[in-house]
C-alpha cells in the first residue's frame, strides 16, 4: 500500500464532529460527503428542531406563509448522525472531547459552527413583550404579535430591524423604529449611502426616529432617554449579534476582540484538527488585507467547502471569498458584494431617491465593493469584476445605462 493511500485511509477513518446545526454546520457535513469523505460525521445542534435556514424567519415564517424553513437534506441517506437538543459546553483538546449537556463526545476533527447570538437590550432580559428574532422559536412567538396587529417598536435600524419592520408593516402593524445613530445601517454603510435609505421607512408607513436611545421598557411603552414615550404592544430588539463562543472559554482556542474564533486562511484554529466556519469565526483576507468577520448567509454557505477540502487534505484550499449578502426591505431588493473599508473613491450609478441605483467603491481604480438596490445585473457583474481585481473607468462606471462589464479600464 502506498504512503498516499495509507494517508487517505487514515483520513477517512477519522471521526468528524460539527458543532452547530445552522447553515455553516449543515453545509460542512454535506460538503464532506460531497467531496468523498466516508468516515463518521456527527452534527450537534443546541436546538431540538430539524436543522433549518434562518433568512426565511424574518419573512415567510414570520408572516405565516411557511411553517418552517428546514433544510432539504436527507441526513440519513448521507449517513450524517444528528444529535439535536444538545448544547455544547466546552472543548478539551488534549482529550479530543467535546463536552455537551448529555456528556462528552469524542472527536478526531472538530468543526466549530455555532454562529452568532443576538445582543440583548440591557435591562430587558425576561421582560414580557420584548422579543429577539434569531431562532424558529423566536419567529413563532412573534407571529401572533403580527396577527393581532400590535403597535410595534423596533430597536435598531440595521438589516434585521429593517426586515422585521417590513414584515410588521405588511401585516398591518403600526411600526416605530428607534435608532441611536443618526441614520439607518450606521454600522454597515457610510452616511452618504445610508441617509437616502431613511426615506424608505416613511414611504412604507413606518416611523423612523434617529438619535433615539432607549432608557427603559415599561408595560405598553418604550421610554427614550429624552423622556418621550412610544406606545408598544411589543418590542423587537435588533441591535446586532456577537459570535456564540462564550462556551469556548478555557479551551485554549484563540478568540478575537469580538469574541470570534480566530481562524487562519484555511479556516483552521490555533488548536490542531479544530476548524471554525461561519458567523462564529474571522479569517484573514488576502484580497482585502485585513481580518474579516462576516455575519451573512453566503459566508456560511461558502466556507464549509474549504473546511471539508482541508479536512480531506487532498488539496490545499485557501478561503478568500468576495463577501456577499442581500436584504429584502420596504419593497426593495438590496444586495452587497465585497468590502468597502479600504476604498478611496465612491461612484454612484443612478439616483438614490429613485427605485433602483447602485454604489461602487474603488481602490486604486479597482472595484472592491458594490451595493445594488433593485439592480441585480449590476451585482452579478460587479461580483465577478471584484473577484478578478478589474480596473474600472470611473466615468463609464457612473453611467447607469452602461453595463458594468463594459465600464472596465482600457489596458495600459
Amino acid at each position: 500500500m502506498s504512503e498516499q493511500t495509507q494517508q487517505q485511509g487514515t483520513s477517512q477513518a477519522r471521526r468528524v464532529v460539527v458543532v452547530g446545526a445552522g447553515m455553516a454546520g449543515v453545509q460542512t457535513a454535506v460538503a464532506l460527503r460531497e467531496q468523498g469523505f466516508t468516515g463518521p460525521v456527527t452534527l450537534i445542534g443546541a436546538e431540538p428542531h430539524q436543522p433549518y435556514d434562518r433568512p426565511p424567519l424574518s419573512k415567510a415564517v414570520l408572516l405565516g406563509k411557511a411553517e418552517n424553513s428546514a433544510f432539504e437534506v436527507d441526513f440519513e441517506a448521507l449517513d450524517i448522525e444528528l444529535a439535536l437538543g444538545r448544547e455544547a459546553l466546552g472543548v478539551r483538546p488534549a482529550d479530543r472531547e467535546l463536552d455537551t449537556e448529555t456528556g462528552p463526545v469524542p472527536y478526531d476533527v472538530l468543526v466549530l459552527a455555532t454562529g452568532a447570538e443576538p445582543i440583548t437590550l440591557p435591562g430587558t432580559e425576561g421582560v414580557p413583550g420584548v422579543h429577539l428574532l434569531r431562532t424558529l422559536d423566536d419567529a413563532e412567538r412573534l407571529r401572533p404579535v403580527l396577527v393581532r396587529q400590535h403597535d410595534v417598536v423596533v430597536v435598531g435600524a440595521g438589516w434585521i430591524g429593517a426586515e422585521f419592520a417590513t414584515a410588521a408593516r405588511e401585516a398591518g402593524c403600526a411600526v416605530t423604529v428607534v435608532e441611536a445613530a443618526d441614520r439607518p445601517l450606521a454600522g454597515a454603510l457610510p452616511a452618504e449611502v445610508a441617509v437616502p435609505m431613511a426615506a424608505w421607512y416613511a414611504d412604507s408607513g413606518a416611523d423612523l426616529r434617529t438619535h433615539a436611545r432607549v432608557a427603559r421598557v415599561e408595560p405598553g411603552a418604550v421610554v427614550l432617554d429624552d423622556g418621550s414615550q412610544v406606545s408598544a404592544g411589543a418590542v423587537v430588539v435588533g441591535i446586532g449579534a456577537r459570535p456564540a463562543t462564550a462556551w469556548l472559554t478555557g479551551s485554549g482556542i484563540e478568540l478575537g476582540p469580538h469574541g470570534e474564533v480566530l481562524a487562519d486562511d484555511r479556516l483552521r484554529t490555533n488548536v490542531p484538527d479544530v476548524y471554525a466556519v461561519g458567523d462564529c469565526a474571522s479569517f484573514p483576507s488576502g484580497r482585502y488585507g485585513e481580518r474579516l468577520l462576516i455575519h451573512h448567509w453566503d459566508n456560511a454557505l461558502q466556507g464549509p467547502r474549504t473546511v471539508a477540502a482541508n479536512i480531506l487534505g487532498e488539496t490545499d484550499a485557501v478561503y478568500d471569498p468576495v463577501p456577499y449578502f442581500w436584504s429584502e426591505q420596504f419593497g426593495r431588493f438590496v444586495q452587497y458584494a465585497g468590502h468597502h473599508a479600504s476604498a478611496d473613491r465612491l461612484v454612484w450609478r443612478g439616483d438614490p431617491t429613485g427605485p433602483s441605483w447602485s454604489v461602487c467603491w474603488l481602490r486604486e481604480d479597482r472595484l472592491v465593493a458594490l451595493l445594488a438596490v433593485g439592480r441585480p445585473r449590476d451585482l452579478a457583474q460587479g461580483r465577478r469584476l471584484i473577484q478578478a481585481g478589474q480596473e474600472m473607468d470611473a466615468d463609464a462606471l457612473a453611467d447607469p445605462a452602461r453595463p458594468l462589464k463594459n465600464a472596465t479600464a482600457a489596458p495600459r
Side-chain angles (χ1 to χ4, degrees):
M1 183 182 294
S2 70
E3 182 179 348
Q4 181 179 2
T5 303
Q6 285 180 326
Q7 289 176 342
Q8 289 176 344
T10 302
S11 169
Q12 296 289 1
R14 293 184 298 170
R15 180 181 185 183
V16 178
V17 174
V18 182
V19 190
M23 170 62 80
V26 167
Q27 289 300 321
T28 298
V30 170
L32 282 165
R33 293 300 187 225
E34 288 179 343
Q35 295 182 30
F37 184 77
T38 57
V41 176
T42 300
L43 181 63
I44 295 178
E47 295 181 54
H49 309 292
Q50 190 75 2
Y52 61 88
D53 203 6
R54 294 190 189 276
L57 297 183
S58 61
K59 305 173 184 71
V61 175
L62 187 61
L63 290 168
K65 297 177 181 178
E67 285 303 311
N68 59 55
S69 54
F71 292 112
E72 294 183 0
V73 174
D74 190 335
F75 295 99
E76 185 176 357
L78 291 172
D79 193 22
I80 296 169
E81 178 189 0
L82 285 182
L84 304 176
R86 297 180 68 175
E87 185 176 356
L89 302 177
V91 180
R92 289 177 284 116
D95 299 324
R96 299 271 175 144
E97 286 190 332
L98 171 76
D99 289 321
T100 74
E101 287 179 314
T102 56
V105 178
Y107 69 85
D108 296 304
V109 178
L110 182 66
V111 181
L112 307 175
T114 46
E117 55 193 6
I119 297 171
T120 58
L121 189 64
T124 63
E125 293 86 346
V127 175
V130 178
H131 301 265
L132 300 169
L133 180 52
R134 179 70 179 175
T135 68
L136 180 59
D137 289 340
D138 292 336
E140 290 178 346
R141 280 190 290 267
L142 275 165
R143 196 185 294 178
V145 170
L146 301 193
V147 170
R148 297 182 192 124
Q149 298 186 336
H150 282 290
D151 290 350
V152 176
V153 173
V154 180
V155 183
W159 299 111
I160 192 67
E163 290 186 0
F164 179 80
T166 299
R169 286 299 301 138
E170 185 176 334
C173 298
V175 177
T176 302
V177 181
V178 296
E179 167 59 51
D182 62 347
R183 62 188 187 275
L185 297 168
L189 297 172
E192 59 191 309
V193 177
V195 166
M197 296 169 147
W200 300 356
Y201 288 77
D203 291 346
S204 74
D207 178 15
L208 173 63
R209 302 190 187 185
T210 55
H211 299 287
R213 293 183 178 276
V214 176
R216 62 186 182 277
V217 177
E218 298 179 348
V222 172
V223 181
L224 303 180
D225 61 359
D226 63 1
S228 62
Q229 294 191 11
V230 184
S231 176
V235 178
V236 177
V237 179
I239 56 175
R242 61 168 62 92
T245 57
W247 65 282
L248 292 172
T249 301
S251 67
I253 295 170
E254 190 176 0
L255 303 181
H258 304 286
E260 81 279 16
V261 179
L262 294 176
D264 67 9
D265 61 359
R266 288 155 178 81
L267 299 181
R268 302 172 299 199
T269 73
N270 64 305
V271 172
D273 293 316
V274 179
Y275 295 77
V277 64
D279 290 8
C280 71
S282 66
F283 58 91
S285 169
R287 184 188 315 280
Y288 291 105
E290 62 181 285
R291 181 169 284 275
L292 300 182
L293 174 60
I294 302 172
H295 286 180
H296 292 298
W297 185 89
D298 190 67
N299 179 52
L301 174 68
Q302 303 294 342
R305 298 168 189 164
T306 298
V307 171
N310 285 317
I311 288 173
L312 268 76
E314 295 171 4
T315 60
D316 189 26
V318 171
Y319 190 57
D320 195 9
V322 174
Y324 167 73
F325 71 88
W326 80 97
S327 176
E328 296 176 70
Q329 50 184 270
F330 309 117
R332 293 165 174 84
F333 187 43
V334 184
Q335 296 171 282
Y336 178 96
H339 181 64
H340 66 266
S342 63
D344 53 36
R345 186 171 183 179
L346 183 152
V347 179
W348 287 92
R349 285 172 58 81
D351 181 359
T353 65
S356 62
W357 47 274
S358 296
V359 176
C360 299
W361 285 272
L362 304 178
R363 184 181 67 222
E364 298 176 352
D365 293 325
R366 298 183 188 278
L367 188 66
V368 294
L370 180 141
L371 175 79
V373 177
R375 292 179 66 95
R377 183 174 295 180
D378 274 8
L379 190 287
Q381 294 180 9
R383 195 175 183 183
R384 289 192 289 269
L385 292 167
I386 295 168
Q387 183 80 43
Q390 180 65 51
E391 286 192 26
M392 307 299 295
D393 179 331
D395 291 335
L397 197 62
D399 180 0
R402 186 166 185 165
L404 273 175
K405 64 181 180 181
N406 295 336
T408 57
R412 296 181 180 179

